[in-house]
Amino acid sequence: MTSGGQSRVVDDPRIRRSIGAFGLLAALVGVAAVGIDPAASARAVKAPSGPVLTVRRAPTAVHIAVGRQNLATALDRVMADPEFAPSRAKSCLHVVVDGGTVYDDGAGRPVMPASTMKVLTTATALSLMAPGTRFVTEVRSSAPATAGTIVGDLWLVGGGDPLLETADYTLTQGHRPEIATKLEDLADRVVAAGVTRIEGRVIGDDRRYDEVRSLSTWKRDYLASGEVGPIGALSVNDNYTVRTASGRRTGSSSPARDAAAEFARLLAERGVTVTGGPAGTGTGPQAVTVDAPKVMVASVASAPIELVIQEILVFSDNTAAEMLLKEVGFLATKTAGTWASGSAAVRAMVATRSSGAVATVDGSGLDRSDRVTCTVLSDVMSGEPAAGPFESGLPVMGRTGTLRKRLRGDPAEGRVRAKTGSLNAVSSLAGFADTRNGARAVFAFVGNGLASTATGVRLGNLIAQQLVAFPDAPDIVQLGLS
């Protein structure tokens, strides 16, 4: 780790071997002209213990070694940007190419990650959930329908699906219509089961997670501004209800009850008579304390977890990320999911991939007390399989999600997949870059204390451009080694 904004090229054994073994050869053929000091290279040479290396084998290693040094020099120039200077000692950058660290500028420094916190949340979920896992919302009753009538209450049981919504709400989102779980489909299935009358209430049950809807440490206007909805295991339309004349959404004070009311409305539209009103399972006067009955009337499943992860990463969906964190807590403890149990599961996952410390409070990165390091972010991402659900789920530079407008028409377009992050005075970018020679670069940049988030966005773009250009070094012909 470095301090005070000073960077270093990490003592990667592969770099030492390349420069040490070929330093004298590089000096003799003029590599110094592109940035390697011939004297330093000569000093690095050791007496060979085996056959002398041949010129035929030297060029590629020299080319990569020079490229690594040039990349580090270029990244140093980016981090030395005058507008970034007051923030550098509060920020970090870590770059790994083909498994070896190439650049470290404060990579072990705890920083506020903003939405790159979703990297840790989604990676933890993928570590606990089997491929193809789906969130299931169920409708239950105490007895099967007789002649179309269910005697007693109908239960709508939340399974943590963060994309459960009605068709009219989906239209307001401008994306994800193909992966949203339609509440109408569930109502249709109740009708298909032969139900025409319910002699009781529709009860919303969200007890898979606790009843804490938001964090006291969040900014007070997050819910009002639509940054995140109230969190519960039975979430319909992101737990927003009333829409004002201006189109502004209002967070539900009783998500389970409001979900039950929405479902009762859909049933009524389909000719099902409901004699009672909706009820939630919270602590209010309509609280339900008994367990949901066992008879399954109908169910609806979400898209596979891989697509849910993609929704969270591509569109930086805060509500879905917070629900996923509580789901992680539920899976880890087999009790009602909480922010505390989910955060503990995230820290446990990080400990399996990195020696770096984290301080996690939420799953989306909205909380300004979250702290991670660039090393932790790059270590966690390095632990994900190439082209796996995590990497494939990230926004693509210049094409999709939160990166769709960045670096269009640039060589980096389509070659960088990364999670963005933005809060007041914070800008971050963490992900993968396909380099010019086909290497896999993993990088994490987090800028804190910024005078403008635009500065952080600009630096993130510059970093991405340097990575896709790697190795920016003379080719074999120019080195005279062909």
Side-chain angles (χ1 to χ4, degrees):
M1 171 179 170
T2 59
S3 60
Q6 297 302 308
S7 63
R8 64 187 176 95
V9 181
V10 172
D11 188 22
D12 185 344
R14 288 175 296 181
I15 296 177
R16 283 190 284 106
R17 285 196 297 270
S18 297
I19 295 178
F22 302 113
L24 182 57
L25 177 60
L28 293 174
V29 297
V31 175
V34 293
I36 292 183
D37 175 12
S41 298
R43 285 195 300 269
V45 175
K46 298 180 180 179
S49 57
V52 176
L53 293 167
T54 68
V55 172
R56 286 183 58 198
R57 297 175 59 186
T60 298
V62 173
H63 182 65
I64 295 300
V66 172
R68 286 173 178 264
Q69 180 163 327
N70 287 351
L71 175 58
T73 300
L75 293 174
D76 246 348
R77 286 196 296 267
V78 172
M79 297 296 279
D81 185 287
E83 291 184 13
F84 185 60
S87 310
R88 187 171 181 179
K90 305 174 185 177
S91 307
C92 63
L93 172 61
H94 194 222
V95 174
V96 176
V97 179
D98 276 348
T101 297
V102 172
Y103 190 79
D104 171 343
D105 191 308
R109 178 181 296 126
V111 291
M112 194 186 313
S115 279
T116 52
M117 176 61 75
K118 295 181 178 76
V119 168
L120 307 186
T121 303
T122 53
T124 303
L126 289 170
S127 73
L128 294 174
M129 304 171 78
T133 296
R134 297 171 186 262
F135 298 93
V136 179
T137 306
E138 300 174 343
V139 175
R140 301 184 195 175
S141 65
S142 57
T146 302
T149 299
I150 290 178
V151 178
D153 296 326
L154 192 73
W155 290 64
L156 180 64
V157 183
D161 186 349
L163 306 182
L164 183 63
E165 54 195 50
T166 56
D168 60 342
Y169 183 79
T170 300
L171 292 176
T172 70
Q173 302 307 293
H175 66 272
R176 84 182 189 196
E178 72 283 359
I179 64 170
T181 312
K182 300 301 185 195
L183 191 61
E184 288 88 347
D185 289 348
L186 186 55
D188 288 340
R189 292 174 188 181
V190 171
V191 173
V195 177
T196 58
R197 181 180 178 85
I198 300 163
E199 295 185 350
R201 302 167 296 173
V202 176
I203 296 176
D205 187 342
D206 68 349
R207 288 176 291 177
R208 186 180 183 92
Y209 307 156
D210 67 1
E211 296 173 10
V212 181
R213 306 304 180 189
S214 64
L215 288 171
S216 61
T217 47
W218 280 348
K219 288 179 65 176
R220 295 178 66 180
D221 67 345
Y222 278 164
L223 268 68
S225 65
E227 287 286 346
V228 63
I231 306 304
L234 176 57
S235 174
V236 174
N237 298 340
D238 291 325
N239 285 335
Y240 284 109
T241 53
V242 179
R243 295 177 179 83
T244 64
S246 64
R248 194 170 186 176
R249 302 175 298 180
T250 301
S252 171
S253 61
S254 180
R257 185 178 66 187
D258 289 338
E262 188 70 8
F263 192 60
R265 180 185 67 81
L266 293 175
L267 290 174
E269 286 181 354
R270 287 156 174 76
V272 178
T273 300
V274 180
T275 62
T281 59
T283 57
Q286 291 182 300
V288 176
T289 57
V290 297
D291 291 337
K294 302 298 184 183
V295 176
M296 183 76 70
V297 177
S299 66
V300 66
S302 73
I305 184 60
E306 294 87 345
L307 290 182
V308 176
I309 293 295
Q310 185 178 76
E311 155 71 14
I312 292 172
L313 295 174
V314 169
F315 299 105
S316 206
D317 190 322
N318 294 319
T319 302
E322 298 303 345
M323 289 183 65
L324 188 63
L325 185 72
K326 288 198 175 187
E327 179 67 17
V328 162
F330 171 81
L331 294 173
T333 65
K334 307 305 180 185
T335 59
T338 68
W339 268 292
S341 62
S343 294
V346 168
R347 292 191 293 271
M349 182 282 297
V350 169
T352 67
R353 299 188 187 181
S354 177
S355 59
V358 293
T360 57
V361 177
D362 64 7
S364 65
L366 286 174
D367 201 289
R368 297 185 72 87
S369 61
D370 289 326
R371 292 292 183 274
V372 304
T373 68
C374 281
T375 300
V376 164
L377 289 172
S378 61
D379 285 348
V380 168
M381 292 187 297
S382 295
E384 292 297 320
F390 176 83
E391 183 173 346
S392 300
L394 288 165
V396 180
M397 186 69 76
R399 296 183 181 177
T400 62
T402 57
L403 286 177
R404 68 189 182 281
K405 296 182 180 180
R406 292 172 64 169
L407 294 181
R408 285 180 174 175
D410 187 270
E413 180 181 346
R415 295 170 61 191
V416 175
R417 290 180 174 271
K419 182 70 196 76
T420 57
S422 180
L423 288 173
N424 288 340
V426 179
S427 181
S428 52
L429 189 68
F432 307 89
D434 296 328
T435 70
R436 188 172 62 176
N437 71 338
R440 187 187 195 226
V442 183
F443 69 97
F445 166 69
V446 182
N448 278 194
L450 301 171
S452 167
T453 55
T455 298
V457 170
R458 181 169 59 82
L459 263 64
N461 288 347
L462 290 171
I463 291 165
Q465 290 172 316
Q466 295 301 328
L467 293 176
V468 299
F470 175 84
D472 185 12
D475 60 27
I476 294 172
V477 173
Q478 288 175 303
L479 289 174
L481 301 176
S482 60

